[in-house]
Amino acid sequence: MTKPESPLRRFGAATMALATAFAVAACGSYADTSAAPAAAGSHSAHAGGSSAPPQPLRAGERFVNLKMADAYTPAPPEGGGTDEYRCQVIDPGLTKVAFLTGTQVTPENVAIAHHAIVYAVPPGGAAAVREQDAKTPGLGWQCFGGTGVDGAEVEAGEAAWVDTWTPGATETLFTQDVGFKLEPGSLIVLQLHYNLLATDGKPAGSDRSAVRLRLTDGTPQTREFDTLPLDAPTDLPCAADESGPLCDRATSIADVTKRFGPEVGGTADEQLEECGQSAPKPGDTQTCDHKVEAPMTLFAGFGHMHLLGRAIKVELNPGTPNAKVVLDVPQFDFDNQRLVKLPSPVEIGPGDTLRVTCTHDAGLRKRLPQLSKLPPRYVVWGDGTSDEMCTGIMTVSPRKS
């Protein structure tokens, strides 16, 4: 079997091709994180849905306010479940190069909006996105883990994942000398993850969410940001007092595949191979080492898990005299997945290793309204609320050497 392509290897290819950004993330260096965090471990899902007003514009900046073309009423996928991921294309109308220095998503219906992702698609992928939108009945199209459009996917360096909204989030704000570069003709794809668990999968009203972009023309000194995902497997068995068909790993993977397709369903085993693990190691804590294959500068990062997440950490060169913790979230809170700025930028390159470690807790399932009515399961990587993820998302800038 061919070894899956690692995120760092994909990053190296993308930077060599001078693509915009290629990977999953929200935010960039020096983002404003002044908002007070929610109580750690609250997992209140839709609490604090309202967004704070943006900070004032700085010299040379302008706001571009975008909105979904129409209201959309989500419905669960045909394979079952209570989650729908829907992508909407929005044209920011750019006629000259701009740098994205801040983003704020405002969901209209926070009762069903689980989280949102903002993708920037460069002109080369615009035609494919428009074609996907045109051929799909209704508003937008189904998308899981990316834009869902061949020719405009983040994994191939064809698009950037530039911001994430979760309940309670405020504006993502960059300093003026950094940002994501947007060429004329670039499009924005807004992915909304709708969760209908509270209504047992039945329609619960419409949503017409909006996103505000903070743009600047930039200067010759402006550094372009990319974002880098560092994944680890999720192999969380049922708790000792739980039982049921989905407590079997293979059965659970088959269920994920039914709900989200073979690409997502195959992730659990692909990650094991990518991380050099010959077999799953069921347990609360999982880890993966990623070899750095391209020179870059680390500026910031945040951890992404779902409702069973307890802690996440990213280490540089662990076990060596030069080991450094570059991201540490000892009390993960799904409702407060905040960017953590490094005290100072860290230069890395070939020969370095980045290790991501995640801890999940199956015992939280009985305590969370979003999960308590669902059958117990062996939790693997998946896009749904009842599934899990482990990703340390680092904000980086590529270097030539």
Side-chain angles (χ1 to χ4, degrees), residues 154-170:
V154 294
E155 293 88 351
E158 300 161 339
W161 185 335
V162 299
D163 197 12
T164 297
W165 171 87
T166 55
T170 57

Side-chain angles (χ1 to χ4, degrees), residues 56-67:
L57 287 168
R58 299 166 296 192
E61 289 183 332
R62 60 191 181 276
F63 283 135
V64 175
N65 294 297
L66 307 174
K67 201 167 189 178

Side-chain angles (χ1 to χ4, degrees), residues 344-365:
S344 59
V346 176
E347 307 295 338
I348 64 173
D352 289 324
T353 297
L354 289 167
R355 174 180 295 172
V356 59
T357 302
C358 286
T359 298
H360 296 88
D361 183 357
L364 290 173
R365 184 161 36 227

Side-chain angles (χ1 to χ4, degrees), residues 38-227:
S42 66
H43 298 291
S44 52
H46 300 295
S50 60
S51 298
Q55 296 196 28
L57 287 168
R58 299 166 296 192
E61 289 183 332
R62 60 191 181 276
F63 283 135
V64 175
N65 294 297
L66 307 174
K67 201 167 189 178
M68 290 165 48
D70 204 348
Y72 178 72
T73 300
E78 293 181 2
T82 57
D83 302 277
E84 182 184 12
Y85 289 70
R86 196 77 180 182
C87 278
Q88 314 283 349
V89 60
I90 307 174
D91 188 351
L94 298 177
T95 58
K96 61 180 179 179
V97 172
F99 286 86
L100 180 61
T101 58
T103 319
Q104 185 166 10
V105 176
T106 307
E108 181 183 63
N109 189 343
V110 296
I112 59 175
H114 183 282
H115 78 268
I117 299 168
V118 182
Y119 299 101
V121 179
V129 167
R130 293 191 185 280
E131 181 181 355
Q132 178 71 36
D133 190 34
K135 72 180 183 182
T136 306
L139 189 68
W141 63 94
Q142 296 280 355
C143 53
F144 306 119
T147 66
V149 179
D150 290 338
E153 278 290 15
V154 294
E155 293 88 351
E158 300 161 339
W161 185 335
V162 299
D163 197 12
T164 297
W165 171 87
T166 55
T170 57
E171 182 187 23
T172 295
L173 183 62
F174 306 110
T175 56
Q176 289 176 283
D177 60 345
V178 296
F180 289 94
K181 187 177 182 180
L182 303 179
E183 303 279 355
S186 296
L187 297 176
I188 296 298
V189 172
L190 179 61
Q191 181 198 77
L192 268 298
H193 174 190
Y194 296 110
N195 180 249
L196 305 178
L197 188 60
T199 57
D200 294 321
K202 299 176 183 178
S206 64
D207 173 71
R208 190 182 182 191
S209 293
V211 58
R212 174 188 286 119
L213 308 182
R214 181 188 293 255
L215 301 179
T216 181
D217 293 339
T219 71
Q221 288 73 42
T222 301
R223 291 191 68 171
E224 296 181 36
F225 270 144
D226 291 344
T227 47

Side-chain angles (χ1 to χ4, degrees), residues 33-42 167-168 170 331 333 335-338:
T33 56
S34 59
S42 66
T170 57
Q331 292 182 303
D333 178 4
D335 299 325
N336 194 34
Q337 299 179 66
R338 303 174 69 226

Side-chain angles (χ1 to χ4, degrees), residues 226-379:
D226 291 344
T227 47
L228 175 67
L230 304 170
D231 300 339
T234 299
D235 272 285
L236 182 66
C238 288
D241 60 348
E242 293 179 327
S243 63
L246 290 174
C247 287
D248 174 71
R249 184 178 188 271
T251 303
S252 181
I253 290 177
D255 177 67
V256 171
T257 303
K258 178 182 178 182
R259 286 184 285 128
F260 299 111
E263 183 174 351
V264 176
T267 300
D269 289 334
E270 290 171 0
Q271 286 179 326
L272 293 178
E273 187 172 358
E274 183 177 294
C275 297
Q277 301 175 18
S278 58
K281 301 176 182 178
D284 296 342
T285 300
Q286 303 292 333
T287 188
C288 182
D289 286 355
H290 296 267
K291 298 296 183 182
V292 179
E293 298 186 6
M296 64 188 84
T297 305
L298 298 178
F299 286 92
F302 74 93
H304 177 64
M305 298 186 283
H306 289 177
L307 298 178
L308 301 181
R310 280 294 196 185
I312 182 169
K313 180 167 61 176
V314 175
E315 302 167 87
L316 174 64
N317 297 325
T320 72
N322 297 322
K324 180 188 294 287
V325 175
V326 294
L327 176 67
D328 189 12
V329 186
Q331 292 182 303
F332 177 80
D333 178 4
F334 177 82
D335 299 325
N336 194 34
Q337 299 179 66
R338 303 174 69 226
L339 180 74
V340 179
K341 190 184 78 171
L342 275 61
S344 59
V346 176
E347 307 295 338
I348 64 173
D352 289 324
T353 297
L354 289 167
R355 174 180 295 172
V356 59
T357 302
C358 286
T359 298
H360 296 88
D361 183 357
L364 290 173
R365 184 161 36 227
K366 292 183 178 180
R367 297 162 51 187
L368 301 175
Q370 301 90 340
L371 303 179
S372 60
K373 63 176 70 175
L374 299 179
R377 67 167 54 243
Y378 185 117
V379 182

